[in-house]
Amino acid sequence: MTITCNVRPAAFLVSRGEIQAAIEKHTTLISEVQRGEDLYRTSLGWLDVGTQKIDELVHVAKHVNQIAEVMIVIGIGGSNRGAVAALEVLKRTTTSPTTLYFAGDTLSETRLADAMEVLKTKSVVLNVIAKDFNTVEPGITFRMLRSAMQAKYGNAYAQRIIVTGSKGSGQLYEVARQHGYTYLPFPSDIGGRFSVLSPVGLFPLAVAGVDIRNLLDGAYAMQQRVRTEQGEDNPAILYAIFRSLIRKKGIALESLVTFEPDLQHFIRWWIQLFAETEGKTDQVLFPVGFSYSEDLHAVGQYVQQGPRILMETYLDLQYEENGCVIGPSKDVVDGFDYLDDTPFSRLNRTVYQAALQAHSDDGIPCIELKCDSFLGAASLGGVFYFFLFTAYLSARLLGINPFNQEGVEQYKRNMYAELEKPGYEK
């Protein structure tokens, strides 16, 4: 699976010469990022997916499949968005006796009650994921569901708890050791939003029946390309450089545009990745996402003729055609006879081209990320890695640390103080 990055001619705000000059200017930095900078070595565990060990994950997943109808995955943000995104895309090609149910990403009492009902009526395993087991949303959800598991299964409940977390005082490794839970590592050198291709994302997907080896194979193939190719031939470099230049031209937002509804959760994963990685300066694009063609009838007018503050990144990644052909309407005159005998898949391709052409012709900066493979585990793994690497490179072009998130911590401190957590008094 390969990706090509095409800058549409309408993106006249940035010339080809500017792109080439920027690549030359940043050649040393780009090479350092491709190697993995020593400065960020403790955060680059995701950079080489070839180091991931999955035998234990597959073994534990098979055990879960034997004992559980549902695995409730408790996590928030990077701890579950990758798995949610992948499962939504691949659900049509997976079979598993165990359904995934996601919880712990909200403090809504109603959502907790929904999870409790699942636990009450189904055979359940819990998988709680937390690199820092201090975050309230997954932590307190785990407590509530864990208590319900104890009431339902008695002393045997511990055999149905799997924790994916860190070592250290008060962290999930210690909880697992003390209470006999199954422990899987949340690698210390991988942050949450970069964790989809680690045990954090791979284990739930293995339980759901996803071929995680195939997913990693696709990611590894993409890794080999974006970490070796130079200049504009490397789609990650071209994409990152264009993003860095377009912001200086007054563009404030980037929308990831997809044409398969199953990619909406992938958009949410992408938004978090770039928002948390780059959002530490006012010289950064705000990430949003549109799902066309539905959103053409919701925000399309704003995009077409509203203020010129937006660029669009078209992700050309669609499912394999299934042979559906539009048949004639024999009894009802509906005005669509011009589509008789047309492959239905042509409609999605046509709206893709029509929207891209209309927007770029009207002066909206557009980039196409064209994939040469249909949606599947390998292609999705490649796209995941492409964006992980590009987020890292884009942040370094901005001159910022890609891996911290001090802004997120401020709301946590406020919440801890309000809830009177020891050490966080007002």
Side-chain angles (χ1 to χ4, degrees):
M1 178 265 183
T2 60
I3 288 179
T4 56
C5 180
N6 299 327
V7 179
R8 296 287 293 190
F12 55 84
L13 291 174
V14 176
S15 69
R16 182 66 63 177
E18 286 179 284
I19 292 174
Q20 293 170 345
I23 292 175
E24 292 176 6
K25 175 182 176 181
H26 295 290
T27 296
T28 299
L29 174 62
I30 292 169
S31 296
E32 290 174 351
V33 168
Q34 287 179 313
R35 290 192 301 270
E37 297 166 286
D38 289 338
L39 177 63
Y40 300 112
R41 184 61 56 192
T42 57
S43 300
L44 291 174
W46 58 272
L47 192 61
D48 184 1
V49 295
T51 62
Q52 294 297 330
K53 304 294 191 296
I54 65 172
D55 289 346
E56 181 185 10
L57 306 182
V58 173
H59 174 75
V60 178
K62 288 180 179 178
H63 175 67
V64 172
N65 291 153
Q66 292 171 352
I67 65 171
E69 297 172 273
V70 176
M71 185 171 80
I72 300 179
V73 182
I74 303 170
I76 191 168
S79 294
N80 68 13
R81 279 199 175 186
V84 172
L87 184 60
E88 184 69 11
V89 169
L90 302 174
K91 62 188 178 184
R92 290 174 177 78
T93 59
T94 60
T95 57
S96 173
T98 307
T99 301
L100 297 192
Y101 185 94
F102 292 91
D105 57 353
T106 176
L107 293 174
S108 163
E109 186 178 12
T110 302
R111 291 293 301 276
L112 176 64
D114 292 342
M116 287 288 196
E117 186 63 24
V118 171
L119 193 152
K120 183 189 304 183
T121 59
K122 301 291 185 180
S123 173
V124 168
V125 161
L126 299 185
N127 174 213
V128 58
I129 305 171
K131 185 172 187 180
D132 177 10
F133 191 51
N134 289 296
T135 305
V136 172
E137 291 91 341
I140 203 63
T141 300
F142 180 43
R143 172 187 282 193
M144 300 296 286
L145 295 180
R146 184 179 69 244
S147 297
M149 292 283 284
Q150 288 176 287
K152 180 174 181 176
Y153 294 107
N155 292 335
Y157 90 98
Q159 301 170 22
R160 292 175 172 267
I161 306 289
I162 300 160
V163 303
T164 307
S166 304
K167 295 185 177 182
S169 177
Q171 297 302 313
L172 280 175
Y173 174 79
E174 292 300 323
V175 175
R177 185 181 62 82
Q178 293 172 15
H179 299 283
Y181 307 150
T182 299
Y183 172 77
L184 297 174
F186 194 133
S188 62
D189 56 359
I190 299 179
R193 60 185 175 274
F194 287 85
S195 67
V196 62
L197 300 173
S198 78
V200 173
L202 295 176
F203 172 66
L205 293 176
V207 171
V210 173
D211 186 342
I212 60 174
R213 287 189 176 88
N214 200 15
L215 188 78
L216 286 176
D217 286 345
Y220 185 73
M222 182 60 65
Q223 171 190 316
Q224 294 296 96
R225 182 180 183 195
V226 299
R227 293 185 63 190
T228 57
E229 290 187 2
Q230 303 300 313
E232 291 183 62
D233 291 335
N234 186 324
I237 294 175
L238 180 55
Y239 176 46
I241 288 290
F242 182 84
R243 295 178 77 254
S244 71
L245 293 173
I246 201 70
R247 180 65 183 92
K248 298 172 184 177
K249 306 288 186 173
I251 300 299
L253 296 92
E254 176 185 9
S255 173
L256 184 67
V257 177
T258 64
F259 287 77
E260 285 291 350
D262 289 351
L263 284 164
Q264 290 191 54
H265 283 290
F266 183 88
I267 289 175
R268 286 172 56 82
W269 172 84
W270 176 87
I271 288 173
Q272 182 195 359
L273 175 66
F274 280 87
E276 284 194 345
T277 300
E278 295 184 313
K280 301 140 193 176
T281 170
D282 60 2
Q283 297 302 309
V284 65
L285 293 163
F286 182 78
V288 296
F290 301 147
S291 180
Y292 289 166
S293 55
E294 180 185 10
D295 281 341
L296 287 171
H297 299 266
V299 296
Q301 176 61 47
Y302 182 98
V303 174
Q304 189 78 37
Q305 294 182 315
R308 287 296 181 258
I309 59 173
L310 174 77
M311 68 165 281
E312 290 185 304
T313 297
Y314 282 70
L315 182 58
D316 186 3
L317 185 61
Q318 301 186 30
Y319 287 110
E320 187 172 4
E321 299 173 10
N322 61 20
C324 179
V325 176
I326 299 170
S329 177
K330 298 179 180 178
D331 302 318
V332 179
V333 178
D334 58 13
F336 293 99
D337 291 352
Y338 66 95
L339 295 175
D340 287 357
D341 301 320
T342 301
F344 201 93
S345 60
R346 183 185 170 194
L347 303 186
N348 216 22
R349 301 300 309 171
T350 301
V351 74
Y352 174 101
Q353 295 296 338
L356 176 61
Q357 188 70 47
H359 293 179
S360 60
D361 284 352
D362 216 3
I364 299 162
C366 296
I367 273 190
E368 283 186 278
L369 298 176
K370 297 182 70 67
C371 308
D372 67 351
S373 301
F374 292 113
L375 271 170
S379 59
L380 186 62
V383 174
F384 272 132
Y385 192 90
F386 174 85
F387 283 121
L388 290 172
F389 180 81
T390 306
Y392 171 29
L393 176 56
S394 292
R396 295 302 295 127
L397 290 170
L398 288 166
I400 59 177
N401 182 344
F403 304 110
N404 63 357
Q405 52 186 56
E406 182 59 27
V408 176
E409 301 306 318
Q410 184 58 51
Y411 100 84
K412 293 182 181 180
R413 287 191 288 268
N414 292 345
M415 181 171 63
Y416 294 155
E418 188 67 31
L419 297 173
E420 299 181 354
K421 181 177 180 177
Y424 291 87
E425 291 77 9
K426 292 183 181 179

